[in-house]
Amino acid sequence: RRGAEVYHLKQWDAAGKFQSQEAAMSRRADAASAALFARAGGPHALYGRIFSDFFRFREDRPPLASALAALEQRRAADAANGRGQAVTIAAQVRHRTSCLHGHEKVALFAKEILRIRRRDPERSCEVLLATDRRATFAALERALGNECALHGVERNKSASHPGLFAEHGVDARETAAADLGLLSHADHLVGSWGSTFTILIQSLIANRFLQRDAATRGEAPTVVYCELDGCLRPLPLIANWHISLQNFPQVDLWV
């Protein structure tokens, strides 16, 4: 029908970010479709694979290239010192409202990061941080102490997006995209409950894990969701459960 494609795209502009990310069709799939999800490693890995088939992060350009180079340098130094492969933990700390300034969730996130790190204390720990508040960087670095090294995409000191601060902070757009690219290189994720960035990052981590050679994969990735009032238990990312944002701001976890 003439114009139907345009109407369809407008619908997706309003609702697609919720419908595509939750992969809710896995709950209503026929046997053949359900088998596809199973072969793909679950809805998280499948969504990450679809995203990666269509988009590429600019890993050869600053600031993402610089952040990845610093991470690889640390990993190489750990290997050279006989410490083996580091555990790399992503942290996506979302605040949403202007009354939160960047330190309010740090203690919760640091506790979960260190819990993951202490499962294998012989390994070094690298933390990849994405946040919509710049103050979170210094606060989380203090909270982690000497147990983990903190990495992040360099912020443009003059960056400002008027009208976006309350929702996204000043580092939106290109910086936010680079944050996604950096955190996709993690082994585990401590993320923000109901954040679409957290949902995308966990999917990219799951897909990257399955793209490795089976003999070198190591421990399967997990995600922990945190909010101001606490954190949930770790959930495996190579599994058939999903987050539903269909009734946002209500967030539903289907396991």
Side-chain angles (χ1 to χ4, degrees):
R1 211 170 61 242
R2 185 179 296 276
E5 295 84 357
V6 175
Y7 175 69
H8 181 70
L9 289 173
K10 287 183 178 179
Q11 283 186 311
W12 272 100
D13 183 57
K17 62 181 179 180
F18 299 145
Q19 295 172 351
S20 61
Q21 286 167 340
E22 69 166 285
M25 69 287 292
S26 65
R27 294 283 168 173
R28 300 185 293 273
D30 56 30
S33 299
L36 171 63
F37 274 89
R39 291 196 303 272
H44 313 292
L46 181 57
Y47 180 55
R49 179 176 176 179
I50 293 171
F51 184 93
S52 299
D53 283 345
F54 281 89
F55 301 100
R56 291 287 184 274
F57 295 106
R58 294 176 173 176
E59 296 188 350
D60 60 336
R61 297 177 56 180
L64 179 54
S66 302
L68 289 174
L71 174 61
E72 291 306 316
Q73 186 175 18
R74 283 274 308 185
R75 286 173 169 173
D78 290 334
N81 292 331
R83 302 192 65 183
Q85 184 178 4
V87 58
T88 305
I89 305 165
Q92 198 265 326
V93 188
R94 186 84 162 87
H95 296 86
R96 293 189 178 90
T97 62
S98 58
C99 64
L100 299 178
H101 302 292
H103 62 275
E104 294 85 355
K105 301 181 181 181
V106 164
L108 284 170
F109 275 75
K111 179 180 178 180
E112 293 301 320
I113 289 168
L114 293 176
R115 181 190 58 77
I116 297 170
R117 184 258 184 280
R118 289 166 183 166
R119 291 204 299 249
D120 190 351
E122 297 302 315
R123 298 170 66 185
S124 60
C125 170
E126 311 294 332
V127 174
L128 314 180
L129 175 61
T131 180
D132 51 9
R133 298 292 183 269
R134 292 184 177 183
T136 306
F137 282 90
L140 184 58
E141 191 167 37
R142 288 193 299 270
L144 295 175
N146 295 324
E147 293 209 45
C148 297
L150 188 65
H151 302 265
V153 171
E154 184 178 2
R155 269 41 187 164
N156 183 344
K157 300 300 187 292
S158 62
S160 179
H161 300 295
L164 291 178
F165 176 75
E167 173 66 12
H168 302 291
V170 298
D171 298 305
R173 299 173 183 166
E174 294 86 353
T175 302
D179 283 344
L180 290 171
L182 176 63
L183 270 64
S184 72
H185 287 262
D187 301 314
H188 304 281
L189 171 63
V190 181
S192 297
W193 177 246
S195 167
T196 55
F197 260 40
T198 284
I199 294 173
L200 177 53
I201 293 163
Q202 71 188 34
S203 300
L204 295 171
I205 290 172
N207 175 60
R208 187 181 292 275
F209 173 79
L210 291 182
Q211 298 309 308
R212 299 176 192 158
D213 182 84
T216 62
R217 284 177 184 168
E219 183 182 11
T222 58
V223 61
V224 176
Y225 297 119
C226 293
E227 246 314 325
L228 281 170
D229 53 353
C231 302
L232 298 180
R233 64 178 174 83
L235 293 167
L237 288 176
I238 309 302
N240 187 30
W241 59 268
H242 69 270
I243 290 288
S244 173
L245 300 178
Q246 294 291 329
N247 300 311
F248 191 83
Q250 174 182 316
V251 182
D252 299 308
L253 173 61
W254 293 88
V255 296

